[in-house]
Amino acid sequence: MPVACSDSAFPERQPRQSGEPAVLDAPQWRTPVSTSGAAESWFKTGGFTCFFTGLSGAGKSTVAKALASRLSALGFEVTLLDGDIVRKNLSSELTFSREHRDLNVQRIGFVASEISRHGGIAICAPIAPYRATRASVREMFDNVGKFFEIHVATPIEVCEERDPKGLYAKAHAGLIKNFTGIDDPYETPENPELALDTSREDVTAAVARIMDRLQNEGLVMMNSEEKRSNHAV
């Protein structure tokens, strides 16, 4: 049975018998990126999650999708949890109040932690504006898998200039209230595993830098030939 989407964040984890791992069925909206190659060719020490956070228009989804494609090309199975898609399919009943924003991010974090618990790779790309909420999500990964926070620190001036959905213009016109970066704060991460600025580096360079850090952390292992090609894509 898929995970039910209700007013509660998620159902409780199933109790396990002695020596038996907990199992959570994959929800219907889980969207694994297609894989190619043999996963056995590339070793990872366990499940992990790359958690992108940043302002609207910072480039989170673009870099997250490119990273998912890169990991998929190495033979890993990847689940991409984009903020807009998850909100539409999992949290459509939620508003944009602080309480509901927190709940949406916690739901994303819970799903990612279960994917990591079972050895998978999750890539998340919500705005996740509040520091305390991000910290609570990080705690979900204690003894589960590695939580790798990536702050997409593109300046708000650049985000407003891009404004791909016209949201900043609407916020300045008073048509949208409590919009992150305008009349609601974005609390900058204090110690992310990595910070990117997509106004200073393109997507290819950003993905290459993330891959280097994942390798340095021992999360993915690449031979020297593959490492050279990592910087050529």
Side-chain angles (χ1 to χ4, degrees), residues 2-221:
V3 176
C5 299
S6 65
D7 289 339
S8 58
F10 276 96
E12 295 182 358
R13 292 182 175 124
Q14 295 297 317
R16 60 181 95 175
Q17 301 297 323
S18 177
E20 180 183 356
V23 175
L24 183 72
D25 291 338
Q28 289 179 331
W29 48 264
R30 177 179 180 272
T31 54
V33 179
S34 61
T35 61
S36 60
E40 291 76 17
S41 300
W42 309 99
F43 178 77
K44 57 184 173 64
T45 56
F48 64 90
T49 289
C50 290
F51 189 94
F52 289 81
T53 174
L55 294 167
S56 177
K60 302 181 302 297
S61 295
T62 301
V63 178
K65 290 174 183 176
L67 176 63
S69 295
R70 183 69 183 132
L71 288 167
S72 176
L74 295 181
F76 294 117
E77 183 174 345
V78 181
T79 302
L80 181 62
L81 302 171
D82 182 78
D84 290 342
I85 295 174
V86 172
R87 178 173 277 275
K88 176 182 177 181
N89 291 280
L90 180 64
S91 300
S92 60
E93 84 284 8
L94 300 183
T95 68
F96 286 90
S97 67
R98 177 161 187 155
E99 179 184 3
H100 282 187
R101 289 181 183 182
D102 284 347
L103 181 55
N104 185 53
V105 172
Q106 289 166 355
R107 288 178 177 181
I108 292 171
F110 178 87
V111 174
S113 71
E114 288 299 311
I115 291 168
S116 295
R117 176 190 297 276
H118 295 290
I121 299 173
I123 298 178
C124 312
I127 292 175
Y130 307 125
R131 196 173 292 132
T133 310
R134 296 192 301 266
S136 70
V137 170
R138 184 182 287 270
E139 290 176 357
M140 295 178 186
F141 289 79
D142 290 347
N143 304 315
V144 168
K146 174 68 176 178
F147 181 83
F148 194 89
E149 184 179 42
I150 302 169
H151 178 207
V152 185
T154 307
I156 189 170
E157 295 80 10
V158 176
C159 297
E160 289 193 64
E161 183 178 349
R162 291 174 177 172
D163 202 11
K165 303 172 186 175
L167 299 178
Y168 285 100
K170 290 180 180 179
H172 281 298
L175 300 177
I176 299 177
K177 301 297 184 181
N178 302 320
F179 188 76
T180 302
I182 303 300
D183 56 355
D184 199 73
Y186 177 80
E187 299 173 356
T188 303
E190 295 178 331
N191 295 294
E193 277 70 17
L194 188 64
L196 305 171
D197 180 348
T198 61
S199 69
R200 294 178 177 271
E201 58 185 328
D202 62 20
V203 174
T204 300
V207 169
R209 201 144 68 86
I210 296 170
M211 292 297 297
D212 281 345
R213 285 297 304 275
L214 292 178
Q215 186 182 29
N216 291 340
E217 294 283 337
L219 298 175
V220 295
M221 304 297 183

